[in-house]
mmCIF file of all heavy atoms in Angstrom:
data_model
loop_
_atom_site.group_PDB
_atom_site.id
_atom_site.type_symbol
_atom_site.label_atom_id
_atom_site.label_comp_id
_atom_site.label_asym_id
_atom_site.label_seq_id
_atom_site.Cartn_x
_atom_site.Cartn_y
_atom_site.Cartn_z
ATOM 1 N N VAL A 24 46.453 8.035 -11.930
ATOM 2 C CA VAL A 24 46.804 7.152 -10.794
ATOM 3 C C VAL A 24 48.285 7.403 -10.352
ATOM 4 O O VAL A 24 48.478 7.349 -9.134
ATOM 5 C CB VAL A 24 46.690 5.672 -11.417
ATOM 6 C CG1 VAL A 24 47.193 4.667 -10.277
ATOM 7 C CG2 VAL A 24 45.304 5.430 -11.772
ATOM 8 N N ASP A 25 49.137 7.753 -11.213
ATOM 9 C CA ASP A 25 50.564 7.944 -10.904
ATOM 10 C C ASP A 25 51.054 9.135 -11.695
ATOM 11 O O ASP A 25 52.001 9.024 -12.537
ATOM 12 C CB ASP A 25 51.283 6.638 -11.406
ATOM 13 C CG ASP A 25 52.734 6.640 -10.951
ATOM 14 O OD1 ASP A 25 53.149 7.338 -9.886
ATOM 15 O OD2 ASP A 25 53.552 6.034 -11.602
ATOM 16 N N PRO A 26 50.608 10.348 -11.316
ATOM 17 C CA PRO A 26 50.940 11.559 -12.103
ATOM 18 C C PRO A 26 52.541 11.889 -12.112
ATOM 19 O O PRO A 26 52.939 12.462 -13.033
ATOM 20 C CB PRO A 26 50.216 12.640 -11.467
ATOM 21 C CG PRO A 26 49.887 12.157 -10.119
ATOM 22 C CD PRO A 26 49.772 10.722 -10.198
ATOM 23 N N LEU A 27 53.166 11.619 -11.035
ATOM 24 C CA LEU A 27 54.627 11.992 -10.988
ATOM 25 C C LEU A 27 55.522 10.830 -11.421
ATOM 26 O O LEU A 27 56.666 11.006 -11.076
ATOM 27 C CB LEU A 27 54.921 12.497 -9.614
ATOM 28 C CG LEU A 27 54.158 13.740 -9.147
ATOM 29 C CD1 LEU A 27 54.594 14.235 -7.796
ATOM 30 C CD2 LEU A 27 54.432 14.841 -10.169
ATOM 31 N N GLY A 28 54.868 9.721 -11.809
ATOM 32 C CA GLY A 28 55.736 8.609 -12.261
ATOM 33 C C GLY A 28 56.468 7.855 -11.137
ATOM 34 O O GLY A 28 57.709 7.575 -11.279
ATOM 35 N N MET A 29 55.868 7.727 -10.006
ATOM 36 C CA MET A 29 56.527 7.186 -8.876
ATOM 37 C C MET A 29 56.561 5.649 -8.944
ATOM 38 O O MET A 29 57.488 4.989 -8.699
ATOM 39 C CB MET A 29 55.919 7.571 -7.546
ATOM 40 C CG MET A 29 55.923 9.096 -7.272
ATOM 41 S SD MET A 29 54.981 9.640 -5.904
ATOM 42 C CE MET A 29 55.791 8.761 -4.542
ATOM 43 N N ALA A 30 55.320 5.101 -9.282
ATOM 44 C CA ALA A 30 55.200 3.619 -9.348
ATOM 45 C C ALA A 30 55.626 2.988 -10.657
ATOM 46 O O ALA A 30 56.248 1.929 -10.628
ATOM 47 C CB ALA A 30 53.792 3.178 -8.984
ATOM 48 N N ALA A 31 55.182 3.483 -11.756
ATOM 49 C CA ALA A 31 55.443 2.866 -13.003
ATOM 50 C C ALA A 31 56.917 2.598 -13.292
ATOM 51 O O ALA A 31 57.114 1.347 -13.797
ATOM 52 C CB ALA A 31 54.879 3.753 -14.265
ATOM 53 N N PRO A 32 57.874 3.382 -13.097
ATOM 54 C CA PRO A 32 59.203 3.010 -13.315
ATOM 55 C C PRO A 32 59.747 1.724 -12.522
ATOM 56 O O PRO A 32 60.474 0.961 -13.066
ATOM 57 C CB PRO A 32 60.169 4.219 -13.115
ATOM 58 C CG PRO A 32 59.113 5.309 -13.109
ATOM 59 C CD PRO A 32 57.789 4.696 -12.667
ATOM 60 N N ILE A 33 59.206 1.717 -11.259
ATOM 61 C CA ILE A 33 59.685 0.623 -10.372
ATOM 62 C C ILE A 33 58.973 -0.733 -10.888
ATOM 63 O O ILE A 33 59.682 -1.769 -10.865
ATOM 64 C CB ILE A 33 59.156 0.950 -8.988
ATOM 65 C CG1 ILE A 33 60.098 2.158 -8.388
ATOM 66 C CG2 ILE A 33 59.464 -0.311 -8.077
ATOM 67 C CD1 ILE A 33 59.591 2.741 -7.137
ATOM 68 N N ILE A 34 57.700 -0.650 -11.292
ATOM 69 C CA ILE A 34 57.093 -1.756 -11.911
ATOM 70 C C ILE A 34 57.805 -2.239 -13.132
ATOM 71 O O ILE A 34 58.078 -3.494 -13.369
ATOM 72 C CB ILE A 34 55.557 -1.504 -12.219
ATOM 73 C CG1 ILE A 34 54.888 -1.237 -10.863
ATOM 74 C CG2 ILE A 34 54.954 -2.588 -12.990
ATOM 75 C CD1 ILE A 34 53.469 -0.678 -11.008
ATOM 76 N N HIS A 35 58.227 -1.374 -13.954
ATOM 77 C CA HIS A 35 58.974 -1.664 -15.230
ATOM 78 C C HIS A 35 60.293 -2.345 -14.831
ATOM 79 O O HIS A 35 60.644 -3.286 -15.548
ATOM 80 C CB HIS A 35 59.138 -0.468 -16.035
ATOM 81 C CG HIS A 35 58.019 0.268 -16.659
ATOM 82 N ND1 HIS A 35 57.929 1.532 -17.103
ATOM 83 C CD2 HIS A 35 56.707 -0.311 -16.757
ATOM 84 C CE1 HIS A 35 56.754 1.819 -17.414
ATOM 85 N NE2 HIS A 35 55.952 0.765 -17.311
ATOM 86 N N ALA A 36 60.959 -1.900 -13.829
ATOM 87 C CA ALA A 36 62.174 -2.436 -13.399
ATOM 88 C C ALA A 36 61.991 -3.936 -13.012
ATOM 89 O O ALA A 36 62.696 -4.792 -13.322
ATOM 90 C CB ALA A 36 62.818 -1.722 -12.330
ATOM 91 N N HIS A 37 60.932 -4.226 -12.138
ATOM 92 C CA HIS A 37 60.595 -5.594 -11.775
ATOM 93 C C HIS A 37 60.366 -6.446 -12.903
ATOM 94 O O HIS A 37 60.787 -7.603 -13.083
ATOM 95 C CB HIS A 37 59.405 -5.582 -10.764
ATOM 96 C CG HIS A 37 59.774 -5.189 -9.357
ATOM 97 N ND1 HIS A 37 59.837 -3.806 -8.909
ATOM 98 C CD2 HIS A 37 60.081 -5.888 -8.286
ATOM 99 C CE1 HIS A 37 60.137 -3.712 -7.762
ATOM 100 N NE2 HIS A 37 60.353 -4.958 -7.303
ATOM 101 N N LEU A 38 59.478 -6.002 -13.845
ATOM 102 C CA LEU A 38 59.169 -6.732 -15.081
ATOM 103 C C LEU A 38 60.411 -7.138 -15.909
ATOM 104 O O LEU A 38 60.513 -8.171 -16.405
ATOM 105 C CB LEU A 38 58.108 -6.012 -15.793
ATOM 106 C CG LEU A 38 56.675 -5.874 -15.170
ATOM 107 C CD1 LEU A 38 55.793 -5.092 -15.984
ATOM 108 C CD2 LEU A 38 56.147 -7.235 -14.914
ATOM 109 N N ALA A 39 61.234 -6.072 -16.011
ATOM 110 C CA ALA A 39 62.551 -6.187 -16.752
ATOM 111 C C ALA A 39 63.351 -7.353 -16.169
ATOM 112 O O ALA A 39 64.011 -8.155 -16.884
ATOM 113 C CB ALA A 39 63.308 -4.899 -16.772
ATOM 114 N N TRP A 40 63.458 -7.357 -14.804
ATOM 115 C CA TRP A 40 64.313 -8.510 -14.249
ATOM 116 C C TRP A 40 63.674 -9.812 -14.414
ATOM 117 O O TRP A 40 64.378 -10.818 -14.687
ATOM 118 C CB TRP A 40 64.455 -8.210 -12.656
ATOM 119 C CG TRP A 40 65.579 -7.184 -12.428
ATOM 120 C CD1 TRP A 40 65.485 -5.963 -11.933
ATOM 121 C CD2 TRP A 40 67.055 -7.367 -12.623
ATOM 122 N NE1 TRP A 40 66.801 -5.331 -11.815
ATOM 123 C CE2 TRP A 40 67.752 -6.301 -12.166
ATOM 124 C CE3 TRP A 40 67.764 -8.519 -13.137
ATOM 125 C CZ2 TRP A 40 69.041 -6.176 -12.332
ATOM 126 C CZ3 TRP A 40 69.098 -8.405 -13.232
ATOM 127 C CH2 TRP A 40 69.790 -7.223 -12.813
ATOM 128 N N LEU A 41 62.297 -9.829 -14.370
ATOM 129 C CA LEU A 41 61.704 -11.154 -14.593
ATOM 130 C C LEU A 41 61.780 -11.579 -15.991
ATOM 131 O O LEU A 41 61.846 -12.883 -16.325
ATOM 132 C CB LEU A 41 60.101 -10.998 -14.315
ATOM 133 C CG LEU A 41 59.847 -10.827 -12.801
ATOM 134 C CD1 LEU A 41 58.210 -10.551 -12.658
ATOM 135 C CD2 LEU A 41 60.248 -12.051 -11.909
ATOM 136 N N ALA A 42 61.980 -10.637 -16.922
ATOM 137 C CA ALA A 42 62.267 -11.049 -18.305
ATOM 138 C C ALA A 42 63.705 -11.416 -18.580
ATOM 139 O O ALA A 42 64.076 -11.845 -19.723
ATOM 140 C CB ALA A 42 61.874 -9.917 -19.248
ATOM 141 N N HIS A 43 64.664 -11.319 -17.664
ATOM 142 C CA HIS A 43 66.060 -11.646 -17.781
ATOM 143 C C HIS A 43 66.461 -12.540 -16.592
ATOM 144 O O HIS A 43 67.292 -12.124 -15.739
ATOM 145 C CB HIS A 43 66.893 -10.355 -17.828
ATOM 146 C CG HIS A 43 66.576 -9.610 -19.039
ATOM 147 N ND1 HIS A 43 65.569 -8.598 -19.100
ATOM 148 C CD2 HIS A 43 67.317 -9.377 -20.188
ATOM 149 C CE1 HIS A 43 65.569 -8.042 -20.253
ATOM 150 N NE2 HIS A 43 66.555 -8.516 -20.978
ATOM 151 N N PRO A 44 65.979 -13.861 -16.530
ATOM 152 C CA PRO A 44 66.249 -14.697 -15.454
ATOM 153 C C PRO A 44 67.740 -14.945 -15.262
ATOM 154 O O PRO A 44 68.197 -15.124 -14.066
ATOM 155 C CB PRO A 44 65.543 -15.924 -15.872
ATOM 156 C CG PRO A 44 65.338 -15.897 -17.223
ATOM 157 C CD PRO A 44 65.193 -14.485 -17.605
ATOM 158 N N GLN A 45 68.553 -15.065 -16.309
ATOM 159 C CA GLN A 45 69.978 -15.304 -16.132
ATOM 160 C C GLN A 45 70.730 -14.223 -15.425
ATOM 161 O O GLN A 45 71.447 -14.490 -14.444
ATOM 162 C CB GLN A 45 70.606 -15.493 -17.511
ATOM 163 C CG GLN A 45 72.155 -15.927 -17.426
ATOM 164 C CD GLN A 45 72.759 -16.244 -18.709
ATOM 165 O OE1 GLN A 45 72.055 -16.494 -19.667
ATOM 166 N NE2 GLN A 45 74.032 -16.236 -18.837
ATOM 167 N N GLU A 46 70.422 -12.966 -15.812
ATOM 168 C CA GLU A 46 70.981 -11.734 -15.152
ATOM 169 C C GLU A 46 70.654 -11.747 -13.709
ATOM 170 O O GLU A 46 71.360 -11.364 -12.838
ATOM 171 C CB GLU A 46 70.714 -10.488 -15.928
ATOM 172 C CG GLU A 46 71.442 -10.371 -17.311
ATOM 173 C CD GLU A 46 70.650 -11.060 -18.402
ATOM 174 O OE1 GLU A 46 69.744 -11.786 -18.116
ATOM 175 O OE2 GLU A 46 71.025 -10.847 -19.538
ATOM 176 N N LEU A 47 69.277 -12.059 -13.486
ATOM 177 C CA LEU A 47 68.816 -11.917 -12.126
ATOM 178 C C LEU A 47 69.465 -13.071 -11.278
ATOM 179 O O LEU A 47 69.805 -12.724 -10.069
ATOM 180 C CB LEU A 47 67.288 -12.301 -12.165
ATOM 181 C CG LEU A 47 66.596 -12.222 -10.731
ATOM 182 C CD1 LEU A 47 66.649 -10.975 -10.118
ATOM 183 C CD2 LEU A 47 65.115 -12.568 -10.985
ATOM 184 N N ALA A 48 69.717 -14.176 -11.843
ATOM 185 C CA ALA A 48 70.435 -15.265 -10.963
ATOM 186 C C ALA A 48 71.818 -14.844 -10.686
ATOM 187 O O ALA A 48 72.317 -15.014 -9.517
ATOM 188 C CB ALA A 48 70.320 -16.534 -11.720
#
């Protein structure tokens, strides 16, 4: 689905921000 790793790192970044609401705020 994502052989060159284009989408997965960006999805990981979104999930990481959702897991850190204070830093996101």
Side-chain angles (χ1 to χ4, degrees):
V24 178
D25 187 26
L27 297 180
M29 298 171 64
I33 296 172
I34 294 172
H35 293 163
H37 282 84
L38 294 175
W40 277 113
L41 291 176
H43 294 80
Q45 181 176 344
E46 290 85 350
L47 179 59

